[in-house]
Amino acid sequence: MKDKITNIFLVRHGQTLWNLEQRWQGNQNSNLTDLGINQAKITKGKLSKQLLHKGYVSPLQRARDTMQIIIQDRNLEVEVVDDIREINLGPWEGKTQDETAISHPIEFKAFWDTPKTFLLQGAETFEELQSRVVRGIRRVFLENEGKNIVVVSHWISIKVALAFYKKQPLSFLPQMENPKNAEVMCLRKIGENICIL
């Protein structure tokens, strides 16, 4: 019997005001900019010829707003999944990158250069983040065998998931490209094998 193909179209939310300001969002939120709205509309167009069976979205508003634009005109069930929300950055949330480079220089350097050693009081580690995001994606694959699914998530959440499915250690993250706002990546599962398209 032929293995069923399951596709997860993994999308980062559109640009937000805090993205523009280089302000850490984490589990806080800022609104999509006009550009962010247009980015989501472009993604909607890219997915327009795909038959989508269901959507899964982070509980954070910027992801939900992006999903709403993507699925506009479709009668698609969307489930909110806490496991795919962005990394919790605790005391950094709402502050600019420049501010945190001054207030937490060691943690700031670790975040960018050696994510495996990133340890900020009140924040998640990259290992904790990867564990919950991969748990969420596994659940999506398990519940939707042979279907096409759209998942809207976040910058670091998507990046650690891609590292996992590329079988790369977290130390490889600085070498990986950052997912762009409203960019679509595809995780394809055939049998037990998952590849990134």
Side-chain angles (χ1 to χ4, degrees), residues 69-109:
I69 293 167
I70 291 170
I71 66 161
Q72 199 176 14
D73 310 324
R74 290 185 192 245
N75 184 21
L76 194 72
E77 181 192 351
V78 175
E79 186 175 334
V80 175
V81 178
D82 189 62
D83 276 346
I84 59 172
R85 67 185 152 77
E86 184 57 299
I87 187 170
N88 174 3
L89 288 172
W92 285 8
E93 295 184 2
K95 294 186 168 63
T96 65
Q97 291 188 23
D98 287 347
E99 286 170 335
T100 55
I102 293 165
S103 65
H104 298 85
I106 293 166
E107 294 87 345
F108 186 84
K109 187 169 179 359

Side-chain angles (χ1 to χ4, degrees), residues 133-145:
V133 173
V134 169
R135 181 177 66 218
I137 290 174
R138 279 182 171 146
R139 190 190 130 208
V140 174
F141 273 127
L142 193 65
E143 292 177 357
N144 298 281
E145 190 183 1

Side-chain angles (χ1 to χ4, degrees), residues 36-55:
I37 291 166
N38 285 332
Q39 288 168 334
K41 287 177 179 173
I42 290 167
T43 299
K44 176 190 174 189
K46 285 179 183 171
L47 293 173
S48 62
K49 291 186 170 64
Q50 292 287 348
L51 173 63
L52 298 176
H53 297 93
K54 191 172 177 181

Side-chain angles (χ1 to χ4, degrees), residues 12-17 19-20 31-43 66 69 180-183:
R12 183 186 174 194
H13 63 79
Q15 185 198 65
T16 68
L17 182 61
N19 288 155
L20 265 184
N31 292 330
L32 297 182
T33 60
D34 288 344
L35 175 58
I37 291 166
N38 285 332
Q39 288 168 334
K41 287 177 179 173
I42 290 167
T43 299
T66 300
I69 293 167
K180 298 176 183 67
N181 288 113
E183 182 180 3

Side-chain angles (χ1 to χ4, degrees), residues 2-6 141 188-195:
K2 203 172 175 188
D3 285 323
K4 291 179 179 174
I5 297 173
T6 309
F141 273 127
R188 174 168 289 175
K189 186 170 191 277
I190 305 173
E192 291 307 308
N193 297 315
I194 298 173
C195 62

